């Protein structure tokens, strides 16, 4: 029998707080015991300090995730948010383990490197789902805007046509990184096994240099598409304050990547050399350990930024219903990204040229948490507006303005819009829609 909101919302927070306190009381003595047992050196001290930051970081992130699960009222928006919030615990725990066991660093870092692409993808899903729910005629709105030229360094390239082509290509540009990054990570693991990877050494004789260049190009293009997407739809996205959210995602992904490159350069010029490797066995392990330690510290501040940028408060509603297990299980559903990746792989030609799927016009699709990113941009405006989002209750009205609607016996077009401004800007008539 599912536990309703009247019960589990009261005991879930104290339970999590109790588990955290007990875990802290157990973990801290274990860390102290580990320091006493071993000869304390630089690596051990760094690992212990990083562990303290880990213990401060994870509760902040898990608390934010828990609050979204407790108030899981807008699945199409909160599902990608929860995925983004998991980035900080994954980065922090991965770096802490790699700092202790540098021999397996490349293997545990695989999760971190793949998840950063997943985060960028989910941020695009979050923006797309919000726009699709708030503006069913989004393609028409973009077509009515002035032509957007490419931003530097692509300002010399022909601009993408305003409308569905631009929307589709921006989403596709983000999606390509979710395919490229795991693929290059697998190649890195294979190269490590055959002994040609040589991480942290800038040389055209190893695989690491080429993979860094390739990943960097793919990542920069994904970020470029996000920036172009925001520049075109800045006014429409203002209610959800996307700049702070974008900076949280961009800073974590970019800083972690470029500081790894910077550390590799320090090794190359001899600032980090074989003369002093402390407890590490090689200068490469020193570079990897320094990177992992810095990430553990940075994630504490990233957790605080995420807590405020991706707050649960806009989704709190007076009348909330649902099972405590339903929202938890929904968090692990990856049907949307699976559909997007399958679509990209099956249609290589259309993907390369960025052509939208015309077959979606005239079809009736409902935008919800299971809708894939590519398909959400190719809905017919009229049919999309006649569908009601799958959220249990309420529509997102901007930060702190979520309302709980009443369920009418016959849906009207007025109910499909969340503000007077949208009704004034829409070309859809306001008569009742007959089922």
């Amino acid at each position: 029998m599912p536990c309703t909101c009247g019960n589990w919302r009261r005991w879930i927070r104290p339970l999590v707080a109790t588990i955290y306190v007990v875990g802290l009381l157990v973990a801290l003595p274990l860390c102290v015991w580990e320091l006493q047992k071993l000869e304390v050196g630089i690596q051990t001290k760094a690992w212990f300090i990083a562990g303290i930051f880990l213990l401060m970081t994870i509760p902040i992130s898990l608390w934010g995730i828990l609050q979204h699960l407790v108030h899981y009222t807008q699945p199409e928006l909160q599902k990608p948010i929860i995925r983004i919030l998991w980035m900080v615990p994954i980065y922090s725990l991965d770096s802490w383990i790699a700092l202790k066991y540098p021999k397996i660093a490349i293997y545990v870092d695989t999760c971190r490197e793949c998840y950063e692409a997943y985060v960028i993808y989910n941020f695009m899903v979050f923006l797309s789902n919000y726009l699709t729910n708030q503006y069913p005629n989004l393609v028409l709105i973009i077509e009515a805007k002035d032509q957007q030229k490419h931003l530097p360094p692509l300002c010399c390239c022909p601009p993408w046509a305003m409308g569905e082509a631009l929307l589709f290509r921006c989403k596709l540009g983000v999606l390509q990184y979710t395919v490229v990054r795991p693929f290059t990570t697998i190649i890195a693991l294979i190269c490590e096994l055959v002994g040609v990877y040589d991480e942290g050494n800038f040389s055209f004789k190893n695989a690491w240099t080429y993979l860094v260049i390739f990943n960097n190009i793919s990542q920069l293009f994904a970020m470029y598409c996000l920036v172009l997407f925001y520049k075109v739809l800045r006014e429409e996205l203002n209610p959800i304050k996307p700049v702070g959210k974008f900076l949280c995602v961009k800073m974590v992904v970019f800083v972690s990547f470029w500081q790894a490159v910077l550390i590799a350069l320090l090794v190359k010029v001899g600032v980090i050399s074989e003369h002093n490797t402390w407890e590490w066995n090689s200068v490469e392990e020193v570079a990897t350990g320094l990177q992992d330690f810095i990430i553990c510290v940075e994630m504490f501040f990233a957790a605080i930024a995420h807590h405020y940028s991706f707050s649960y408060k806009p989704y709190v509603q007076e009348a909330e219903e649902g099972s405590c297990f339903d929202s938890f299980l929904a968090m692990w559903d990856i049907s949307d990204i699976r559909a997007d990746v399958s679509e990209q792989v099956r249609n290589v030609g259309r993907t390369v040229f960025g052509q939208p799927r015309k077959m979606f016009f005239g079809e009736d699709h409902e935008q919800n948490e299971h809708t894939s990113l590519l398909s959400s941009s190719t809905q017919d405006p009229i049919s999309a507006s006649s569908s009601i989002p799958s959220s249990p209750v309420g529509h997102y009205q901007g930060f702190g303005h979520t309302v709980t609607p009443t369920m009418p016996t016959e849906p009207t077009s007025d109910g499909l819009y969340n503000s007077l401004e949208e009704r004034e800007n829409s070309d859809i008539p306001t008569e009742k829609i007959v089922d």
Side-chain angles (χ1 to χ4, degrees), residues 331-373:
M331 178 177 63
W332 304 104
D333 178 37
I334 58 171
S335 58
D336 51 348
I337 188 172
R338 184 172 61 245
D340 276 328
V341 174
S342 299
E343 174 67 19
Q344 191 179 35
V345 171
R346 285 197 307 265
N347 302 277
V348 177
R350 180 185 57 80
T351 296
V352 171
F353 293 101
Q355 298 297 326
R357 292 188 293 182
K358 297 300 182 182
M359 64 180 180
F360 275 102
F361 283 98
E363 294 183 3
D364 187 15
H365 288 272
E366 182 177 342
Q367 178 75 15
N368 55 44
E369 72 272 24
H370 305 290
T371 305
S372 62
L373 178 60

Side-chain angles (χ1 to χ4, degrees), residues 38-226:
L38 301 174
E39 293 183 4
V40 177
I42 297 297
Q43 180 185 3
T44 306
K45 289 180 180 178
W47 175 75
F48 181 74
I49 296 173
I52 294 176
F53 278 96
L54 176 71
L55 292 174
M56 294 188 298
T57 298
I58 290 184
I60 298 175
S61 297
L62 293 184
W63 184 256
I65 293 171
L66 175 66
Q67 294 291 350
H68 276 284
L69 293 177
V70 169
H71 305 286
Y72 198 64
T73 59
Q74 299 288 307
E76 64 275 6
L77 298 180
Q78 291 177 274
K79 184 177 178 179
I81 287 178
I82 292 173
R83 292 170 173 176
I84 294 172
L85 292 177
W86 272 110
M87 174 174 60
V88 170
I90 290 175
Y91 268 51
S92 186
L93 184 59
D94 167 271
S95 300
W96 188 67
I97 294 174
L99 183 61
K100 177 63 177 176
Y101 305 103
K103 294 292 184 180
I104 64 171
I106 186 174
Y107 304 106
V108 296
D109 286 348
T110 300
C111 298
R112 184 178 71 199
E113 293 171 353
C114 292
Y115 204 81
E116 72 178 29
Y118 191 52
V119 165
I120 296 176
Y121 165 83
N122 277 284
F123 184 67
M124 189 65 170
V125 170
F126 169 72
L127 299 180
S128 176
N129 288 352
Y130 169 77
L131 289 170
T132 305
N133 286 337
Q134 294 291 318
Y135 304 95
N137 54 347
L138 181 61
V139 173
L140 299 179
I141 293 176
I142 298 177
E143 290 176 349
K145 292 178 178 287
D146 295 334
Q147 179 63 53
Q148 173 63 52
K149 296 182 179 180
H150 277 293
L151 307 174
L154 302 181
C155 49
C156 296
C157 298
W160 293 340
M162 300 295 288
E164 194 168 7
L166 183 141
L167 193 62
F168 185 83
R169 290 176 181 178
C170 284
K171 294 178 179 182
L172 198 62
V174 174
L175 181 61
Q176 56 84 25
Y177 187 55
T178 66
V179 177
V180 169
R181 189 61 176 180
F183 180 71
T184 55
T185 300
I186 294 174
I187 294 178
L189 291 176
I190 296 174
C191 293
E192 175 69 17
L193 293 175
V194 298
V196 296
Y197 187 57
D198 197 13
E199 181 179 7
N201 182 20
F202 276 104
S203 173
F204 289 102
K205 296 181 180 180
N206 60 32
W208 180 80
T209 303
Y210 295 100
L211 291 177
V212 165
I213 295 173
F214 192 68
N215 283 330
N216 188 34
I217 294 174
S218 178
Q219 185 187 86
L220 286 175
F221 185 68
M223 287 296 187
Y224 172 84
C225 290
L226 272 176

